[in-house]
Amino acid sequence: MLTKRIIPCLDIKNGRTVKGVNFVNLIDAGDPVELAQRYAENLADELVFLDITATEEKRKTLIDLVHRVGKAINIPFTVGGGVSSVEDVSAILKAGADKVAINSAAVKNPDLINKLSAKFGNQCIVVAIDAKRIDDNWKVHLVGGKVPTDLDLFEWAREVEFRGAGEILFTSMNHDGTKNGFANQTLKKLNQILNIPVIASGGAGSIKHFEDTFTSGKADAALAASVFHFGEISIQTLKQELINRKIKVRL
Amino acid sequence: MSQNVIIIDYGAGNIQSLKFALSRLGVEAETSSDVKTIKAADKVIFPGVGHAESAMEKLKETGLHLIIPELQQPVLGICLGMQLMCRFTEEGPTQGLGIFDVEVKRFETQLKVPHMGWNLIKNLKTDLFQNLPQEAYMYFVHSYYVPLNTDSIADSDYGCNFCAALKKHNFYGVQFHPEKSSQWGEKILDNFLKLAI
């Protein structure tokens, strides 16, 4: 049976990890390659790198980083942040990434999803969607959640699948950073209307939260940053505990 | 042991991660679409992602579709590479290279397609899986699958039992991505590299 995936997310700025990490025995906690290697050895199923600089002049630093990460780790990894063209995606994949995440660029130019999927295959195109519940509607937001749009989350999710996305990375802005659990009801609904994998993001604070997002939220994968970076939850312990609770994970 | 490993380059998908994985095992593989170079290699790897029909067309453009089935050295097909080594695939539909006499089918299941993520491979046979545990997790990404058949050397389960790896004479095929499958995937690549030439 296919297992549920646990995905640590690393925020990258100028080729270094930000938000801080607290790993024992790491000589330089800011080095994304070292951190990635550590996660790969500690049973992470995939990694996501989000480049939060994403300005033109810094892209070379990112490509160099992707190359170094690809050389070092033996699990799949996704790179996102400011990806806006076929050329961007081509450069990132050539440097050794397995998948690319697009977000704002897909909203501004939905045809980009079709183009990327046709050129590189849908398995490597992850569409990231940040959304916020406003009254009873989930609205898609851009630029790291700063800019609201009129797009409905569920309609947009259906459209990106139709256009050739291979996976959806859904971040609930209402839950992100709260450590109060994932947006499981919304995830469940997404899961019902989609036939591509959904990665849950935003809200991880405890092992129970991961359990809930896989059972109630029906998520295919769960992404988190700080609970892993600060060693609050070790992936090994998390996975052992999920297995005890009858959830299939790779150990 | 220095050996000459060639990854067949026919423009089908990204092979950087495969090169990186081989490099971690001490082999600097070259990519090539040149018939002479491929024939002269100690080991040949036939990768591929994307659509079967366009991949097959690319092989035909260079005449590689006639060369690959004739190769004498160990050949490893990965993912779409493995599927193209079969007689026929529903994707397209497309006639394959016919090395394995089996038809590739699309997953007909309530589960999500593509089958994407880590799944167990079991019933492992042959030297390709030497020194692996009885069952091991591998990373899969595919929408079409090879049914169990007489050449199966590993199987997995996604809505149905399917063939996760094949072997016939010097030809091996794996549906999963050993280059992305952590330590046991690495072991499989290492076993392939260690096969007698």
Side-chain angles (χ1 to χ4, degrees):
Chain A
M1 213 175 96
L2 187 63
T3 56
K4 302 289 189 183
R5 287 171 281 154
I6 303 292
I7 308 178
C9 176
L10 285 73
D11 282 339
I12 304 296
K13 193 173 180 181
N14 302 334
R16 314 275 298 166
T17 44
V18 290
K19 274 193 185 172
V21 285
N22 186 20
F23 261 152
V24 196
N25 299 331
L26 264 193
I27 299 158
D28 176 0
D31 178 18
V33 178
E34 210 174 344
L35 193 52
Q37 235 165 348
R38 182 62 67 99
Y39 277 128
E41 284 160 15
N42 284 289
L43 291 164
D45 293 309
E46 292 190 29
L47 297 173
V48 168
F49 294 84
L50 286 183
D51 181 23
I52 58 174
T53 31
T55 53
E56 282 303 319
E57 65 269 27
K58 305 289 189 214
R59 296 309 275 188
K60 276 193 186 138
T61 321
L62 178 68
I63 296 300
D64 174 60
L65 173 66
V66 173
H67 191 83
R68 289 192 296 128
V69 169
K71 262 188 169 168
I73 67 168
N74 54 14
I75 58 170
F77 70 103
T78 301
V79 175
V83 178
S84 61
S85 66
V86 172
E87 292 70 40
D88 285 349
V89 173
S90 178
I92 290 170
L93 293 178
K94 255 193 199 145
D98 301 282
K99 309 178 193 180
V100 169
I102 51 170
N103 189 337
S104 301
V107 173
K108 287 175 195 153
N109 173 20
D111 273 342
L112 182 63
I113 304 170
N114 306 58
K115 269 192 207 154
L116 293 175
S117 172
K119 187 162 170 64
F120 304 104
N122 67 349
Q123 81 290 335
C124 64
I125 307 302
V126 181
V127 174
I129 306 178
D130 300 333
K132 194 180 200 171
R133 190 173 56 210
I134 299 168
D135 300 324
D136 267 344
N137 297 310
W138 282 89
K139 292 292 182 191
V140 175
H141 283 58
L142 304 183
V143 201
K146 288 187 210 99
V147 180
T149 73
D150 273 340
L151 275 179
D152 174 74
L153 164 65
F154 303 104
E155 280 170 25
W156 177 235
R158 254 198 222 107
E159 182 175 342
V160 305
E161 173 175 355
F162 179 71
R163 287 180 177 273
E167 268 182 301
I168 285 179
L169 167 58
F170 165 60
T171 304
S172 161
M173 293 164 52
N174 301 76
H175 296 72
D176 200 23
T178 64
K179 297 201 174 181
N180 281 331
F182 294 91
N184 294 323
Q185 281 190 326
T186 312
L187 281 159
K188 188 181 172 190
K189 192 169 166 194
L190 277 175
N191 205 68
Q192 280 165 349
I193 62 168
L194 298 173
N195 194 37
I196 52 174
V198 178
I199 306 166
S201 158
S206 70
I207 289 174
K208 179 83 170 68
H209 294 155
F210 286 91
E211 179 190 3
D212 290 345
T213 203
F214 292 137
T215 53
S216 317
K218 311 281 179 202
D220 298 285
L223 176 141
S226 60
V227 289
F228 296 138
H229 299 333
F230 291 102
E232 293 164 30
I233 300 176
S234 90
I235 295 178
Q236 181 113 23
T237 311
L238 169 62
K239 285 188 154 182
Q240 187 55 58
E241 201 44 52
L242 289 171
I243 286 175
N244 295 345
R245 300 177 195 188
K246 308 275 182 265
I247 293 168
K248 279 264 188 190
V249 288
R250 174 182 72 108
L251 204 57
Chain B
M1 178 182 67
S2 159
Q3 55 177 327
N4 173 17
V5 178
I6 295 294
I7 301 170
I8 299 179
D9 177 13
Y10 61 111
N14 180 25
I15 45 169
Q16 190 60 56
S17 57
L18 180 59
K19 289 182 87 171
F20 283 149
L22 294 168
S23 176
R24 285 192 291 270
L25 293 166
V27 169
E28 299 307 323
E30 298 291 327
T31 55
S32 178
S33 56
D34 176 63
V35 171
K36 264 191 194 159
T37 310
I38 293 170
K39 277 188 169 172
D42 297 321
K43 302 275 163 61
V44 175
I45 300 182
F46 180 35
V49 291
H51 196 276
E53 198 174 14
S54 55
M56 201 61 204
E57 272 166 25
K58 282 176 189 152
L59 287 175
K60 284 180 180 163
E61 278 167 23
T62 45
L64 285 168
H65 67 303
L66 299 174
I67 302 306
I68 295 169
E70 303 289 317
L71 291 172
Q72 302 292 316
Q73 64 275 62
V75 178
L76 177 65
I78 297 177
C79 198
L80 180 61
M82 160 186 167
Q83 296 187 355
L84 292 177
M85 288 160 109
C86 298
R87 188 183 68 229
F88 173 85
T89 165
E90 286 183 1
E91 188 176 28
T94 310
Q95 294 293 329
L97 299 175
I99 295 165
F100 301 109
D101 188 20
V102 58
E103 292 190 1
V104 184
K105 296 186 177 307
R106 187 172 168 88
F107 276 118
E108 295 291 343
T109 162
Q110 294 300 306
L111 303 169
K112 288 179 178 177
V113 178
H115 170 221
M116 181 188 281
W118 296 83
N119 204 335
L120 272 182
I121 57 167
K122 42 197 194 303
N123 295 321
L124 310 181
K125 298 180 195 107
T126 79
D127 289 356
L128 194 63
F129 301 111
Q130 209 171 19
N131 297 321
L132 259 78
Q134 280 195 322
E135 300 185 337
Y137 281 107
M138 295 292 149
Y139 188 80
F140 288 84
V141 186
H142 60 125
S143 301
Y144 292 79
Y145 73 98
V146 176
L148 292 177
N149 62 85
T150 50
D151 296 325
S152 295
I153 54 169
D155 55 70
S156 188
D157 183 23
Y158 191 64
C160 63
N161 249 340
F162 68 92
C163 171
L166 291 156
K167 181 198 181 222
K168 191 177 194 179
H169 311 307
N170 54 318
F171 293 97
Y172 294 79
V174 291
Q175 180 61 69
F176 49 85
H177 288 272
E179 74 277 18
K180 285 280 131 184
S181 294
S182 195
Q183 58 164 331
W184 299 123
E186 224 153 67
K187 186 72 205 161
I188 290 169
L189 285 177
D190 194 37
N191 286 340
F192 176 73
L193 294 174
K194 284 181 176 145
L195 290 173
I197 296 160

